Amino acid sequence: MSEPIPLFPVTRVDPARFAAAQHRLFTGMRLHIGRSDIAHQVAWVPWSNSLTLPAPACHQGWSGLGAGGEITPTHQPVSCRKCLRLAGEPDDPAQHALFALPEPGAP
């Protein structure tokens, strides 16, 4: 039996090299998701065979592994309200709330 003719070129990616490249890009940086101006704190999440990849610390949803430019590194300070709160930092006054949150201790 002969080998099938590939219809599309297949690029093989070495997981360890990809994870290492992501570490070089995002270590000491913050990240943007897509075209958003919001800068998130970077967290390292488990991926494959004890390798880790960068993700927003606030667990903001996004799709992909970062290989297609879904997330990009930035030097901008963290502006995500949830990332700031998780780190115990004050909110960024430039980011507006989507809706009013109840005050602590309010009924």
Side-chain angles (χ1 to χ4, degrees):
M1 181 172 206
S2 64
E3 287 286 319
I5 299 172
L7 297 177
F8 303 101
V10 176
T11 304
R12 303 272 183 215
V13 175
D14 176 34
R17 289 183 65 200
F18 176 70
Q22 293 296 293
H23 275 265
R24 283 191 300 276
L25 281 173
F26 288 94
T27 297
M29 303 289 279
R30 271 71 58 210
L31 65 83
H32 290 292
I33 300 172
R35 296 182 183 190
S36 172
D37 290 332
I38 302 300
H40 295 271
Q41 185 69 36
V42 174
W44 297 97
V45 296
W47 178 42
S48 174
N49 294 334
S50 73
L51 299 171
T52 58
L53 292 179
C58 64
H59 304 287
Q60 172 64 44
W62 60 287
S63 177
L65 297 173
E70 303 90 356
I71 59 173
T72 53
T74 182
H75 286 290
Q76 292 180 344
V78 174
S79 57
C80 168
R81 293 180 87 169
K82 190 170 181 185
C83 286
L84 288 168
R85 286 182 181 168
L86 288 169
E89 300 289 329
D91 285 349
D92 179 3
Q95 186 180 2
H96 303 287
L98 296 176
F99 51 87
L101 297 174
E103 293 296 322

